[in-house]
Amino acid sequence: MEAIGPIIVIAIVFFILLFVSIFIIEEGVRRGMRKARAEERAEIADMEASEEEHADD
């Protein structure tokens, strides 16, 4: 029965680390998605600008 205490503590620490790592990964994915969207918007704006330049010719 004395071995149950450390096992519970280890399990609690494990789950805390698990949730923290999931949160960190999720934040990284969100930042990556935001960056990808911003790059996509920049590409679209560049394409539209180049189309307008060709339309002026």
Side-chain angles (χ1 to χ4, degrees):
M1 292 298 286
E2 291 178 11
I4 293 176
I7 292 172
I8 292 173
V9 171
I10 291 170
I12 290 171
V13 169
F14 173 77
F15 282 109
I16 289 172
L17 290 174
L18 180 70
F19 287 121
V20 167
S21 63
I22 289 172
F23 178 76
I24 290 170
I25 291 169
E26 191 175 322
E27 279 299 308
V29 168
R30 284 183 188 163
R31 287 184 183 161
M33 292 293 285
R34 269 190 231 126
K35 186 177 179 184
R37 275 191 241 127
E39 289 174 356
E40 190 174 332
R41 280 192 223 112
E43 282 182 28
I44 291 170
D46 287 344
M47 282 189 239
E48 290 176 352
S50 65
E51 285 176 5
E52 289 175 6
E53 288 176 7
H54 290 296
D56 292 341
D57 293 342

Short mmCIF file of all heavy atoms in Angstrom, two decimals:
data_model
loop_
_atom_site.label_atom_id
_atom_site.label_comp_id
_atom_site.label_asym_id
_atom_site.label_seq_id
_atom_site.Cartn_x
_atom_site.Cartn_y
_atom_site.Cartn_z
N MET A 1 0.82 -1.21 0.00
CA MET A 1 0.00 0.00 0.00
C MET A 1 0.86 1.26 0.00
O MET A 1 0.42 2.29 -0.46
CB MET A 1 -0.91 0.02 1.23
CG MET A 1 -2.00 -1.04 1.23
SD MET A 1 -3.15 -0.87 -0.15
CE MET A 1 -4.08 0.55 0.42
N GLU A 2 2.09 1.17 0.51
CA GLU A 2 2.93 2.36 0.57
C GLU A 2 3.43 2.78 -0.81
O GLU A 2 3.85 3.92 -1.00
CB GLU A 2 4.12 2.10 1.50
CG GLU A 2 3.71 1.97 2.95
CD GLU A 2 4.89 1.67 3.85
OE1 GLU A 2 6.04 1.78 3.36
OE2 GLU A 2 4.66 1.34 5.01
N ALA A 3 3.40 1.87 -1.76
CA ALA A 3 3.91 2.19 -3.10
C ALA A 3 2.88 2.95 -3.93
O ALA A 3 3.20 3.42 -5.02
CB ALA A 3 4.30 0.91 -3.81
N ILE A 4 1.65 3.06 -3.46
CA ILE A 4 0.60 3.72 -4.24
C ILE A 4 0.84 5.23 -4.31
O ILE A 4 0.61 5.84 -5.35
CB ILE A 4 -0.79 3.41 -3.64
CG1 ILE A 4 -1.09 1.93 -3.83
CG2 ILE A 4 -1.86 4.25 -4.31
CD1 ILE A 4 -2.37 1.49 -3.20
N GLY A 5 1.33 5.85 -3.25
CA GLY A 5 1.56 7.30 -3.23
C GLY A 5 2.46 7.79 -4.34
O GLY A 5 2.09 8.68 -5.12
N PRO A 6 3.68 7.24 -4.45
CA PRO A 6 4.56 7.68 -5.54
C PRO A 6 3.99 7.42 -6.93
O PRO A 6 4.19 8.22 -7.84
CB PRO A 6 5.83 6.86 -5.32
CG PRO A 6 5.80 6.48 -3.89
CD PRO A 6 4.35 6.35 -3.53
N ILE A 7 3.26 6.34 -7.08
CA ILE A 7 2.66 6.04 -8.39
C ILE A 7 1.63 7.11 -8.75
O ILE A 7 1.57 7.58 -9.89
CB ILE A 7 2.02 4.63 -8.38
CG1 ILE A 7 3.12 3.58 -8.28
CG2 ILE A 7 1.17 4.41 -9.63
CD1 ILE A 7 2.61 2.17 -8.08
N ILE A 8 0.83 7.53 -7.79
CA ILE A 8 -0.17 8.57 -8.03
C ILE A 8 0.52 9.88 -8.40
O ILE A 8 0.11 10.58 -9.33
CB ILE A 8 -1.09 8.74 -6.81
CG1 ILE A 8 -1.97 7.49 -6.66
CG2 ILE A 8 -1.95 9.98 -6.94
CD1 ILE A 8 -2.79 7.47 -5.38
N VAL A 9 1.58 10.23 -7.67
CA VAL A 9 2.32 11.47 -7.97
C VAL A 9 2.90 11.41 -9.37
O VAL A 9 2.80 12.37 -10.14
CB VAL A 9 3.43 11.69 -6.91
CG1 VAL A 9 4.34 12.83 -7.33
CG2 VAL A 9 2.82 11.96 -5.55
N ILE A 10 3.50 10.29 -9.74
CA ILE A 10 4.07 10.14 -11.08
C ILE A 10 2.98 10.26 -12.14
O ILE A 10 3.17 10.90 -13.17
CB ILE A 10 4.83 8.79 -11.20
CG1 ILE A 10 6.09 8.85 -10.34
CG2 ILE A 10 5.16 8.48 -12.65
CD1 ILE A 10 6.79 7.51 -10.17
N ALA A 11 1.83 9.66 -11.90
CA ALA A 11 0.73 9.73 -12.86
C ALA A 11 0.24 11.17 -13.03
O ALA A 11 -0.01 11.62 -14.15
CB ALA A 11 -0.42 8.83 -12.41
N ILE A 12 0.10 11.89 -11.92
CA ILE A 12 -0.35 13.29 -11.99
C ILE A 12 0.65 14.13 -12.76
O ILE A 12 0.28 14.92 -13.64
CB ILE A 12 -0.58 13.84 -10.57
CG1 ILE A 12 -1.81 13.17 -9.95
CG2 ILE A 12 -0.76 15.36 -10.60
CD1 ILE A 12 -1.99 13.48 -8.47
N VAL A 13 1.94 13.97 -12.47
CA VAL A 13 2.97 14.72 -13.19
C VAL A 13 2.95 14.36 -14.66
O VAL A 13 3.07 15.24 -15.53
CB VAL A 13 4.36 14.44 -12.57
CG1 VAL A 13 5.47 14.99 -13.45
CG2 VAL A 13 4.44 15.04 -11.17
N PHE A 14 2.77 13.09 -14.98
CA PHE A 14 2.72 12.66 -16.38
C PHE A 14 1.58 13.36 -17.12
O PHE A 14 1.77 13.88 -18.22
CB PHE A 14 2.55 11.14 -16.45
CG PHE A 14 2.32 10.63 -17.84
CD1 PHE A 14 3.37 10.51 -18.73
CD2 PHE A 14 1.04 10.28 -18.26
CE1 PHE A 14 3.17 10.04 -20.01
CE2 PHE A 14 0.83 9.82 -19.54
CZ PHE A 14 1.89 9.70 -20.42
N PHE A 15 0.39 13.38 -16.52
CA PHE A 15 -0.75 14.00 -17.19
C PHE A 15 -0.58 15.50 -17.31
O PHE A 15 -0.98 16.10 -18.33
CB PHE A 15 -2.06 13.63 -16.49
CG PHE A 15 -2.53 12.26 -16.84
CD1 PHE A 15 -2.50 11.24 -15.90
CD2 PHE A 15 -2.99 11.95 -18.11
CE1 PHE A 15 -2.92 9.96 -16.21
CE2 PHE A 15 -3.41 10.67 -18.45
CZ PHE A 15 -3.38 9.67 -17.49
N ILE A 16 0.01 16.13 -16.32
CA ILE A 16 0.26 17.58 -16.42
C ILE A 16 1.22 17.85 -17.58
O ILE A 16 0.97 18.73 -18.41
CB ILE A 16 0.83 18.13 -15.09
CG1 ILE A 16 -0.26 18.14 -14.03
CG2 ILE A 16 1.40 19.52 -15.29
CD1 ILE A 16 0.23 18.47 -12.63
N LEU A 17 2.29 17.08 -17.67
CA LEU A 17 3.23 17.26 -18.78
C LEU A 17 2.57 16.97 -20.12
O LEU A 17 2.85 17.64 -21.12
CB LEU A 17 4.45 16.36 -18.59
CG LEU A 17 5.39 16.75 -17.44
CD1 LEU A 17 6.47 15.69 -17.27
CD2 LEU A 17 6.00 18.11 -17.68
N LEU A 18 1.71 15.98 -20.16
CA LEU A 18 0.99 15.65 -21.39
C LEU A 18 0.14 16.82 -21.86
O LEU A 18 0.20 17.24 -23.02
CB LEU A 18 0.12 14.41 -21.17
CG LEU A 18 -0.68 13.93 -22.37
CD1 LEU A 18 0.23 13.36 -23.43
CD2 LEU A 18 -1.68 12.88 -21.92
N PHE A 19 -0.66 17.39 -20.95
CA PHE A 19 -1.52 18.51 -21.32
C PHE A 19 -0.71 19.74 -21.70
O PHE A 19 -1.07 20.47 -22.64
CB PHE A 19 -2.51 18.83 -20.21
CG PHE A 19 -3.61 17.80 -20.10
CD1 PHE A 19 -3.80 17.10 -18.92
CD2 PHE A 19 -4.44 17.53 -21.17
CE1 PHE A 19 -4.80 16.15 -18.82
CE2 PHE A 19 -5.45 16.58 -21.07
CZ PHE A 19 -5.62 15.88 -19.89
N VAL A 20 0.38 19.99 -21.00
CA VAL A 20 1.22 21.14 -21.33
C VAL A 20 1.82 20.97 -22.73
O VAL A 20 1.83 21.91 -23.53
CB VAL A 20 2.32 21.34 -20.27
CG1 VAL A 20 3.38 22.32 -20.74
CG2 VAL A 20 1.71 21.82 -18.96
N SER A 21 2.30 19.78 -23.04
CA SER A 21 2.89 19.56 -24.36
C SER A 21 1.84 19.67 -25.46
O SER A 21 2.11 20.23 -26.53
CB SER A 21 3.59 18.21 -24.42
OG SER A 21 2.67 17.17 -24.22
N ILE A 22 0.63 19.18 -25.21
CA ILE A 22 -0.45 19.32 -26.19
C ILE A 22 -0.75 20.78 -26.42
O ILE A 22 -0.92 21.24 -27.56
CB ILE A 22 -1.71 18.55 -25.74
CG1 ILE A 22 -1.47 17.05 -25.85
CG2 ILE A 22 -2.93 18.97 -26.55
CD1 ILE A 22 -2.56 16.21 -25.24
N PHE A 23 -0.79 21.57 -25.35
CA PHE A 23 -1.06 23.01 -25.48
C PHE A 23 0.03 23.69 -26.28
O PHE A 23 -0.25 24.51 -27.17
CB PHE A 23 -1.17 23.64 -24.09
CG PHE A 23 -1.40 25.11 -24.12
CD1 PHE A 23 -2.64 25.63 -24.44
CD2 PHE A 23 -0.37 25.99 -23.84
CE1 PHE A 23 -2.85 27.00 -24.47
CE2 PHE A 23 -0.56 27.35 -23.87
CZ PHE A 23 -1.81 27.86 -24.19
N ILE A 24 1.29 23.36 -26.02
CA ILE A 24 2.41 23.97 -26.74
C ILE A 24 2.35 23.62 -28.22
O ILE A 24 2.53 24.48 -29.09
CB ILE A 24 3.75 23.54 -26.12
CG1 ILE A 24 3.91 24.18 -24.74
CG2 ILE A 24 4.92 23.90 -27.02
CD1 ILE A 24 5.07 23.64 -23.94
N ILE A 25 2.07 22.36 -28.52
CA ILE A 25 1.98 21.93 -29.93
C ILE A 25 0.82 22.66 -30.62
O ILE A 25 0.96 23.12 -31.75
CB ILE A 25 1.80 20.40 -30.01
CG1 ILE A 25 3.09 19.72 -29.56
CG2 ILE A 25 1.39 19.96 -31.40
CD1 ILE A 25 2.96 18.23 -29.33
N GLU A 26 -0.31 22.78 -29.94
CA GLU A 26 -1.47 23.46 -30.51
C GLU A 26 -1.16 24.91 -30.82
O GLU A 26 -1.53 25.44 -31.88
CB GLU A 26 -2.64 23.36 -29.54
CG GLU A 26 -3.96 23.80 -30.13
CD GLU A 26 -5.11 23.57 -29.18
OE1 GLU A 26 -5.11 22.56 -28.47
OE2 GLU A 26 -6.00 24.43 -29.13
N GLU A 27 -0.47 25.60 -29.91
CA GLU A 27 -0.08 26.99 -30.15
C GLU A 27 0.85 27.10 -31.35
O GLU A 27 0.73 28.01 -32.16
CB GLU A 27 0.59 27.58 -28.90
CG GLU A 27 -0.40 28.05 -27.87
CD GLU A 27 -1.32 29.15 -28.37
OE1 GLU A 27 -0.83 30.16 -28.91
OE2 GLU A 27 -2.54 28.97 -28.24
N GLY A 28 1.78 26.17 -31.47
CA GLY A 28 2.69 26.18 -32.60
C GLY A 28 1.95 25.98 -33.92
O GLY A 28 2.24 26.66 -34.91
N VAL A 29 0.97 25.10 -33.92
CA VAL A 29 0.18 24.87 -35.13
C VAL A 29 -0.62 26.12 -35.47
O VAL A 29 -0.68 26.52 -36.63
CB VAL A 29 -0.75 23.65 -34.94
CG1 VAL A 29 -1.78 23.57 -36.05
CG2 VAL A 29 0.08 22.38 -34.86
N ARG A 30 -1.21 26.77 -34.46
CA ARG A 30 -1.96 28.00 -34.73
C ARG A 30 -1.08 29.08 -35.33
O ARG A 30 -1.48 29.76 -36.27
CB ARG A 30 -2.59 28.53 -33.42
CG ARG A 30 -3.79 27.77 -32.99
CD ARG A 30 -4.37 28.39 -31.75
NE ARG A 30 -5.42 27.58 -31.19
CZ ARG A 30 -5.87 27.72 -29.96
NH1 ARG A 30 -5.37 28.63 -29.16
NH2 ARG A 30 -6.84 26.94 -29.52
N ARG A 31 0.11 29.25 -34.74
CA ARG A 31 1.03 30.27 -35.28
C ARG A 31 1.43 29.93 -36.70
O ARG A 31 1.52 30.82 -37.55
CB ARG A 31 2.26 30.39 -34.39
CG ARG A 31 1.96 31.08 -33.08
CD ARG A 31 3.20 31.28 -32.26
NE ARG A 31 2.84 31.88 -30.99
CZ ARG A 31 3.60 31.87 -29.92
NH1 ARG A 31 4.78 31.28 -29.97
NH2 ARG A 31 3.21 32.44 -28.81
N GLY A 32 1.69 28.66 -36.95
CA GLY A 32 2.05 28.24 -38.30
C GLY A 32 0.93 28.49 -39.29
O GLY A 32 1.17 28.94 -40.42
N MET A 33 -0.29 28.23 -38.88
CA MET A 33 -1.44 28.47 -39.75
C MET A 33 -1.60 29.96 -40.03
O MET A 33 -1.88 30.36 -41.16
CB MET A 33 -2.72 27.91 -39.13
CG MET A 33 -2.75 26.41 -39.04
SD MET A 33 -2.83 25.62 -40.64
CE MET A 33 -4.51 25.92 -41.06
N ARG A 34 -1.43 30.79 -38.99
CA ARG A 34 -1.52 32.24 -39.18
C ARG A 34 -0.46 32.72 -40.16
O ARG A 34 -0.74 33.53 -41.05
CB ARG A 34 -1.34 32.97 -37.85
CG ARG A 34 -2.62 33.20 -37.12
CD ARG A 34 -2.40 34.14 -35.95
NE ARG A 34 -2.98 33.52 -34.77
CZ ARG A 34 -2.36 33.30 -33.63
NH1 ARG A 34 -1.13 33.70 -33.45
NH2 ARG A 34 -2.96 32.71 -32.65
N LYS A 35 0.76 32.21 -40.00
CA LYS A 35 1.86 32.61 -40.89
C LYS A 35 1.55 32.18 -42.31
O LYS A 35 1.77 32.94 -43.26
CB LYS A 35 3.15 32.00 -40.39
CG LYS A 35 4.37 32.44 -41.14
CD LYS A 35 5.62 31.84 -40.54
CE LYS A 35 6.85 32.27 -41.30
NZ LYS A 35 8.06 31.65 -40.81
N ALA A 36 1.04 30.97 -42.48
CA ALA A 36 0.72 30.46 -43.81
C ALA A 36 -0.38 31.30 -44.46
O ALA A 36 -0.30 31.62 -45.65
CB ALA A 36 0.29 29.00 -43.73
N ARG A 37 -1.40 31.68 -43.67
CA ARG A 37 -2.47 32.52 -44.22
C ARG A 37 -1.94 33.88 -44.63
O ARG A 37 -2.34 34.42 -45.67
CB ARG A 37 -3.60 32.69 -43.19
CG ARG A 37 -4.59 31.55 -43.25
CD ARG A 37 -5.82 31.87 -42.43
NE ARG A 37 -5.91 30.86 -41.40
CZ ARG A 37 -6.02 31.09 -40.10
NH1 ARG A 37 -6.07 32.30 -39.64
NH2 ARG A 37 -6.08 30.10 -39.25
N ALA A 38 -1.05 34.46 -43.81
CA ALA A 38 -0.48 35.77 -44.14
C ALA A 38 0.35 35.68 -45.42
O ALA A 38 0.26 36.56 -46.28
CB ALA A 38 0.37 36.27 -42.98
N GLU A 39 1.13 34.62 -45.57
CA GLU A 39 1.91 34.45 -46.79
C GLU A 39 1.00 34.27 -48.00
O GLU A 39 1.27 34.80 -49.08
CB GLU A 39 2.85 33.25 -46.65
CG GLU A 39 3.99 33.48 -45.69
CD GLU A 39 4.82 32.24 -45.44
OE1 GLU A 39 4.48 31.16 -45.96
OE2 GLU A 39 5.83 32.37 -44.71
N GLU A 40 -0.09 33.53 -47.81
CA GLU A 40 -1.03 33.32 -48.91
C GLU A 40 -1.68 34.64 -49.34
O GLU A 40 -1.81 34.93 -50.52
CB GLU A 40 -2.10 32.31 -48.49
CG GLU A 40 -2.97 31.83 -49.62
CD GLU A 40 -3.93 30.73 -49.18
OE1 GLU A 40 -3.59 29.99 -48.24
OE2 GLU A 40 -5.00 30.64 -49.79
N ARG A 41 -2.06 35.46 -48.33
CA ARG A 41 -2.64 36.76 -48.65
C ARG A 41 -1.64 37.63 -49.40
O ARG A 41 -2.01 38.36 -50.33
CB ARG A 41 -3.09 37.48 -47.37
CG ARG A 41 -4.41 36.99 -46.87
CD ARG A 41 -4.94 37.92 -45.79
NE ARG A 41 -5.48 37.11 -44.71
CZ ARG A 41 -4.97 37.01 -43.49
NH1 ARG A 41 -3.94 37.72 -43.13
NH2 ARG A 41 -5.52 36.23 -42.59
N ALA A 42 -0.38 37.58 -48.99
CA ALA A 42 0.65 38.37 -49.66
C ALA A 42 0.82 37.92 -51.11
O ALA A 42 0.96 38.75 -52.02
CB ALA A 42 1.97 38.27 -48.91
N GLU A 43 0.80 36.60 -51.33
CA GLU A 43 0.91 36.09 -52.70
C GLU A 43 -0.27 36.54 -53.54
O GLU A 43 -0.10 36.95 -54.70
CB GLU A 43 0.95 34.56 -52.69
CG GLU A 43 2.28 33.98 -52.30
CD GLU A 43 2.28 32.46 -52.36
OE1 GLU A 43 1.51 31.90 -53.17
OE2 GLU A 43 3.04 31.85 -51.59
N ILE A 44 -1.47 36.49 -52.99
CA ILE A 44 -2.66 36.91 -53.73
C ILE A 44 -2.57 38.39 -54.07
O ILE A 44 -2.88 38.81 -55.19
CB ILE A 44 -3.95 36.59 -52.92
CG1 ILE A 44 -4.13 35.07 -52.87
CG2 ILE A 44 -5.16 37.27 -53.55
CD1 ILE A 44 -5.23 34.64 -51.91
N ALA A 45 -2.13 39.20 -53.11
CA ALA A 45 -1.99 40.63 -53.35
C ALA A 45 -0.95 40.88 -54.44
O ALA A 45 -1.15 41.75 -55.31
CB ALA A 45 -1.60 41.35 -52.07
N ASP A 46 0.15 40.13 -54.43
CA ASP A 46 1.17 40.28 -55.48
C ASP A 46 0.61 39.91 -56.84
O ASP A 46 0.87 40.59 -57.84
CB ASP A 46 2.39 39.40 -55.17
CG ASP A 46 3.21 39.94 -54.02
OD1 ASP A 46 3.04 41.12 -53.67
OD2 ASP A 46 4.04 39.17 -53.47
N MET A 47 -0.17 38.83 -56.89
CA MET A 47 -0.77 38.41 -58.16
C MET A 47 -1.73 39.47 -58.68
O MET A 47 -1.72 39.80 -59.87
CB MET A 47 -1.50 37.08 -58.00
CG MET A 47 -0.61 35.89 -57.96
SD MET A 47 -1.59 34.39 -58.03
CE MET A 47 -1.10 33.61 -56.53
N GLU A 48 -2.55 40.00 -57.79
CA GLU A 48 -3.50 41.03 -58.21
C GLU A 48 -2.78 42.28 -58.69
O GLU A 48 -3.18 42.90 -59.69
CB GLU A 48 -4.45 41.37 -57.06
CG GLU A 48 -5.44 40.26 -56.75
CD GLU A 48 -6.31 40.55 -55.54
OE1 GLU A 48 -6.06 41.56 -54.85
OE2 GLU A 48 -7.24 39.77 -55.30
N ALA A 49 -1.70 42.64 -58.02
CA ALA A 49 -0.93 43.82 -58.44
C ALA A 49 -0.29 43.59 -59.81
O ALA A 49 -0.30 44.48 -60.66
CB ALA A 49 0.14 44.14 -57.40
N SER A 50 0.23 42.39 -60.03
CA SER A 50 0.86 42.11 -61.33
C SER A 50 -0.20 42.04 -62.42
O SER A 50 0.05 42.45 -63.56
CB SER A 50 1.67 40.83 -61.29
OG SER A 50 0.83 39.70 -61.07
N GLU A 51 -1.39 41.56 -62.11
CA GLU A 51 -2.48 41.53 -63.09
C GLU A 51 -2.87 42.95 -63.47
O GLU A 51 -3.13 43.24 -64.65
CB GLU A 51 -3.69 40.78 -62.54
CG GLU A 51 -3.52 39.29 -62.52
CD GLU A 51 -4.72 38.59 -61.88
OE1 GLU A 51 -5.70 39.27 -61.56
OE2 GLU A 51 -4.65 37.36 -61.70
N GLU A 52 -2.92 43.86 -62.49
CA GLU A 52 -3.28 45.25 -62.78
C GLU A 52 -2.20 45.90 -63.65
O GLU A 52 -2.53 46.68 -64.55
CB GLU A 52 -3.47 46.02 -61.49
CG GLU A 52 -4.72 45.64 -60.73
CD GLU A 52 -4.83 46.35 -59.39
OE1 GLU A 52 -3.99 47.22 -59.10
OE2 GLU A 52 -5.76 46.02 -58.64
N GLU A 53 -0.93 45.56 -63.40
CA GLU A 53 0.14 46.12 -64.23
C GLU A 53 0.01 45.64 -65.66
O GLU A 53 0.20 46.41 -66.60
CB GLU A 53 1.51 45.72 -63.66
CG GLU A 53 1.88 46.42 -62.38
CD GLU A 53 3.20 45.93 -61.80
OE1 GLU A 53 3.89 45.13 -62.47
OE2 GLU A 53 3.51 46.35 -60.68
N HIS A 54 -0.32 44.36 -65.86
CA HIS A 54 -0.47 43.84 -67.21
C HIS A 54 -1.71 44.41 -67.87
O HIS A 54 -1.72 44.59 -69.09
CB HIS A 54 -0.55 42.30 -67.19
CG HIS A 54 0.75 41.65 -66.81
ND1 HIS A 54 1.86 41.76 -67.59
CD2 HIS A 54 1.10 40.89 -65.76
CE1 HIS A 54 2.87 41.09 -67.03
NE2 HIS A 54 2.43 40.56 -65.91
N ALA A 55 -2.73 44.72 -67.10
CA ALA A 55 -3.95 45.29 -67.67
C ALA A 55 -3.69 46.72 -68.16
O ALA A 55 -4.30 47.18 -69.12
CB ALA A 55 -5.06 45.29 -66.64
N ASP A 56 -2.77 47.41 -67.49
CA ASP A 56 -2.45 48.79 -67.90
C ASP A 56 -1.69 48.81 -69.23
O ASP A 56 -1.74 49.79 -69.96
CB ASP A 56 -1.60 49.49 -66.82
CG ASP A 56 -2.40 49.74 -65.55
OD1 ASP A 56 -3.65 49.71 -65.64
OD2 ASP A 56 -1.80 49.97 -64.48
N ASP A 57 -0.97 47.73 -69.54
CA ASP A 57 -0.18 47.70 -70.79
C ASP A 57 -1.08 47.61 -71.94
O ASP A 57 -1.66 47.90 -72.67
CB ASP A 57 0.75 46.48 -70.81
CG ASP A 57 1.83 46.61 -69.75
OD1 ASP A 57 2.04 47.72 -69.28
OD2 ASP A 57 2.42 45.57 -69.39
#
